Every structure is written in C-alpha cells, then in structure tokens.
Amino acid sequence: MSLILLILGVGLGLSSVSPWSREGISATGFGVSTIVWLTLTQLLSSGMGGYLAGRLRTRWVDTHTDEVYFRDTAHGFLAWAVASLATAALLTSAIGSILSGGIQAGASVVGGVASTATLAAGGVAASGRTTPGGNGPMAYFIDALFRRDGRAAAARSNGGAMPPAVSEQAVANETAQVARIFMNVSPSEPLPQEDIRYVGQLVAQRTGMSQQDAEKRVTDIYTRAQARLHDAELAAKDAADKARKASAYAALWVFVSLLSGAFVASLAATYGGRQRDA
C-alpha cells in the first residue's frame, strides 16, 4: 500500500511542477502537498496493516479482555514497525538524502563562500597568474579598472603623451597582481592607501590618466567589487540556510507522519481484533 501510494504521489507531483516560470504549482504548495501526501500514505497503509494484523490473528480463548486489547495493540504496532523497517531498507537513498541535506547545509555555507571567492578571483590561479579565459566576477572589475578613458584619449590626440606599449605577458602579470591585491583585503576593510597608490600608478601607465584620477577609479571600482562579493556571499548563505530549513522541516514532518502511522496501526489492530471476536 505504501509503495502504490508513493508511486502515485510521485506521478502527481511530477505532473504538477513545471520548469517554466508562472506555470505549475508553487514551491510552497508543492511542499505542503508533499507533507499531506506522506501523512495520508502513512495513515492509509498503517491502518490497513494494523487492521489485518488484528483481524487475521488467532482468537485467544480464556484471556482477559484487557490482555486481548494489549496484544492486539502490540500486534498492530509491530506490523507498523516491520513495515517501516522494510520501507527504510528499500528507500535508503531517499531517507539518506533527507538526513544528509541538513548536515551538508552547514558545510555548503563554507563551500559556497569559498567558491564565490574562487570565482571572484576572475580566473586567478593559485600560482598568482591569470588563467586563459578567466571570466569570474572580479575579471569584469579588473577590465573596467584598466579601461581607457575617452578624455585621456582625446588629450593624447591633441598632443598629449601616449602611454607606453605593454607586452601581453606584462598585462597578464599586472592584472593578476591587481586581483591579488583586491582579494587580499577583507570585504569589511577599505583598500590600504599604499595599495591604492600602487594600483593607481599601474592604471595611469596603462590608460594615460592622471595619478589622482587613477586612484579615484581604483577606489570606486574596489568598492563596487567588494559590494558584488558581499552580495554573492549573502546569496550563498541564504541558499544554504534555505536548504537547511527544508531538510529540517522534511525530517520533522516525516517523524510526525511515522508517529501518526504507528498510532493508527495500533488503533486499527484493536478494531480488527474486536471484529474478529464479535
């Protein structure tokens, strides 16, 4: 009975969800319907199992009424316990995913933050050199940092000094160095003044901007980059917290449904016993 209802519930659940937005059942509705279906499955299957255990048992002769009631109740409870153990053995992976979800939720906070920091490096490898095709969130801010200003280009066209040509290897080294400087500072701390001055010199050499304008650009872009990293970290923590809560709620409601199944199985066994002795 549990297997039949479980397969039916899976079919109904898959038919009610949709990957398209504004179609299918909502996440809240899906969770509530899943809880209701699991509880209904426990009530129906446990009730049927308990009733059969009480009704098909051999009638006890010359036994006190209270003892008969107790034995019927025990038979119903044992029928539910054996069926629950068999179901747990058959659905080990499903139960394990529910239990491990809450345990892994805390670890995913650290993992999510670490992956965010890795992506934020914009393709900076552990050796400190940029990897080809780095396209993490920090890569955009590094590109914006060395973006040539239109006003500087206009000044050069009017006879201003042209920035010196830089080799591709030097560009890669400077980009990796700036990424390391940005990632070395805590998100809650401002960029040190000496780092602002040094990175401003690199920006001024690459773009033809003045030192003052280059340092202002460094400060502004660093602030934007840290805000992006902070938002990504909050999103990772929020996702992990939602997974933890979902696993906790699932475990609690599975406990409630199993407990209600034990009660219904014991009660149905006493009813089946009275039907047998009538």
Side-chain angles (χ1 to χ4, degrees):
M1 189 69 173
S2 298
L3 180 61
I4 292 174
L5 292 177
L6 180 61
I7 294 175
L8 178 60
V10 171
L12 294 176
L14 292 178
S15 63
S16 63
V17 298
S18 174
W20 307 105
S21 59
R22 299 181 180 179
E23 292 186 10
I25 191 172
S26 63
T28 302
F30 182 78
V32 172
S33 60
T34 301
I35 292 170
V36 172
W37 189 261
L38 287 176
T39 305
L40 181 64
T41 299
Q42 274 291 313
L43 294 178
L44 293 179
S45 59
S46 299
M48 186 186 70
Y51 178 81
L52 292 177
R55 182 65 182 270
L56 298 178
R57 183 182 53 77
T58 304
R59 180 177 181 178
W60 285 303
V61 184
D62 298 333
T63 304
H64 195 274
T65 304
D66 293 339
E67 183 66 20
V68 173
Y69 179 81
F70 172 79
R71 293 185 181 184
D72 288 336
T73 303
H75 274 70
F77 180 81
L78 290 176
W80 166 85
V82 172
S84 298
L85 290 177
T87 304
L90 294 175
L91 302 178
T92 302
S93 59
I95 296 176
S97 64
I98 294 175
L99 296 178
S100 63
I103 298 174
Q104 294 176 354
S108 64
V109 174
V110 180
V113 175
S115 61
T116 301
T118 302
L119 289 175
V124 177
S127 61
R129 304 177 68 86
T130 56
T131 57
N135 57 355
M138 187 62 73
Y140 167 78
F141 296 103
I142 299 299
D143 293 338
L145 189 64
F146 291 105
R147 190 176 297 164
R148 294 191 177 183
D149 193 1
R151 291 176 298 177
R156 291 195 301 271
S157 62
N158 293 330
M162 297 290 291
V166 183
S167 64
E168 183 178 354
Q169 183 63 36
V171 171
N173 291 336
E174 291 177 358
T175 301
Q177 189 175 10
V178 172
R180 290 194 300 269
I181 291 174
F182 277 15
M183 295 303 300
N184 186 56
V185 184
S186 174
S188 60
E189 299 178 357
L191 193 65
Q193 189 61 37
E194 58 271 17
D195 290 336
I196 296 177
R197 187 180 303 107
Y198 177 74
V199 177
Q201 293 175 0
L202 298 179
V203 173
Q205 294 174 3
R206 290 267 297 274
T207 62
M209 300 174 62
S210 64
Q211 180 66 23
Q212 183 179 1
D213 292 340
E215 291 181 4
K216 184 178 183 301
R217 173 184 284 190
V218 171
T219 303
D220 294 341
I221 291 181
Y222 174 78
T223 303
R224 290 167 52 195
Q226 293 303 319
R228 174 70 63 84
L229 291 179
H230 180 67
D231 293 341
E233 182 179 351
L234 290 180
K237 290 182 178 180
D238 182 66
D241 187 61
K242 288 181 179 179
R244 178 191 62 81
K245 290 181 179 179
S247 299
Y249 291 154
L252 290 176
W253 280 109
V254 167
F255 166 76
V256 172
S257 64
L258 289 174
L259 194 63
S260 63
F263 174 78
V264 170
S266 302
L267 183 63
T270 60
Y271 178 75
R274 286 198 299 266
Q275 293 292 319
R276 176 202 64 232
D277 295 337

